[in-house]
């Protein structure tokens, strides 16, 4: 699928998935930026994550957007299965909440984009990202992605080592701003659609 909107039921809920690994040792890793954005969205919704029944995930149900037709029901989720098994919990939540696949949004780290830069799109490949690979295997590629740039590893550092390291001190100075902007982009995507969100946040 290309970067185009897919028409779905206007009243259908949205499933917003932040990708990461559970556990305090991973909390500030580059690979966990999806969790960081999900946590900020949870603050905005005014809820606390709780375990989702049989699904290996933590969820919050809430609403975003102004009162009226632009108001959207959302389920925020953080898979607790570790990154490379994200597809199972996400698919279970999609099916339980009856969310169209086109209303699934995943927020994840992206190596091939400079730090802090955002790219929003619908569908596409996984670019070697294990979380996306698992999701696509479980439910196909036609879900939205909010790609948060982390840049490439320096020198000869292995990709796996780079993504599982904490953001550096210089990066942390701007991290809150970039996470806030990514949360804004998710809200814009859900409320106003992909084209408007791309025009505003694809930098």
């Amino acid at each position: 699928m290309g970067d185009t909107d897919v028409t779905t039921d206007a009243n259908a809920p949205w499933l917003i998935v932040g990708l990461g690994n559970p556990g305090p040792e991973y909390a500030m890793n580059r690979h966990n930026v999806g969790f960081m954005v999900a946590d900020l969205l949870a603050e905005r919704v005014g809820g606390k994550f709780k375990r989702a029944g049989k699904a290996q995930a933590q969820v919050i149900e809430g609403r975003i957007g102004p009162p009226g037709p632009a108001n959207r029901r959302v389920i925020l989720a953080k898979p607790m299965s570790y990154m490379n098994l994200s597809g199972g919990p996400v698919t279970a939540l999609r099916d339980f909440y009856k969310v169209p696949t086109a209303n699934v949004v995943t927020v994840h780290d992206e190596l091939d984009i400079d730090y802090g830069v955002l790219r929003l799109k619908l569908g596409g490949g996984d670019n070697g990202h294990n979380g996306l690979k698992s999701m696509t295997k479980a439910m196909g590629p036609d879900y939205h992605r909010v790609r948060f740039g982390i840049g490439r590893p320096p020198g000869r550092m292995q990709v796996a080592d780079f993504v599982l390291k904490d953001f550096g001190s210089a990066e942390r100075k701007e991290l809150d701003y970039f996470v806030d902007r990514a949360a804004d982009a998710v809200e814009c995507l859900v409320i106003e659609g992909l084209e408007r969100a791309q025009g505003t946040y694809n930098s």
Side-chain angles (χ1 to χ4, degrees), residues 32-173:
N32 268 44
V33 73
F35 274 17
M36 297 175 199
V37 176
D39 286 338
L40 179 56
L41 287 167
E43 288 181 26
R44 295 182 181 184
V45 167
K48 291 187 176 181
F49 281 103
K50 60 183 181 181
R51 200 78 180 189
K54 295 181 180 179
Q56 278 188 290
Q58 292 183 350
V59 300
I60 295 173
E61 296 180 59
R63 303 192 76 88
I64 63 172
N71 192 259
R72 301 282 185 261
R73 180 185 171 215
V74 297
I75 298 95
L76 305 177
K78 297 193 296 184
M80 293 286 112
S81 57
Y82 290 97
M83 182 70 82
N84 61 352
L85 298 174
S86 299
V90 175
T91 303
L93 293 173
R94 180 200 64 174
D95 294 345
F96 179 79
Y97 288 103
K98 297 179 171 57
V99 178
T101 299
N103 278 22
V104 176
V105 181
T106 185
V107 185
H108 64 91
D109 57 301
E110 178 61 61
L111 286 160
D112 287 336
I113 302 175
D114 290 341
Y115 174 59
V117 173
L118 298 177
R119 291 282 190 275
L120 285 74
K121 70 173 187 174
L122 173 64
D126 57 57
N127 201 26
H129 192 288
N130 287 332
L132 297 183
K133 193 176 297 183
S134 178
M135 285 182 59
T136 296
K137 183 178 180 181
M139 64 182 187
D142 300 331
Y143 53 91
H144 287 88
R145 300 104 187 276
V146 176
R147 304 156 72 204
F148 187 111
I150 60 170
R152 301 293 302 186
R156 297 187 178 185
M157 183 184 291
Q158 295 295 311
V159 165
D161 294 332
F162 179 69
V163 300
L164 292 175
K165 284 188 180 298
D166 290 357
F167 284 103
S169 57
E171 292 171 321
R172 285 199 295 272
K173 292 177 182 178

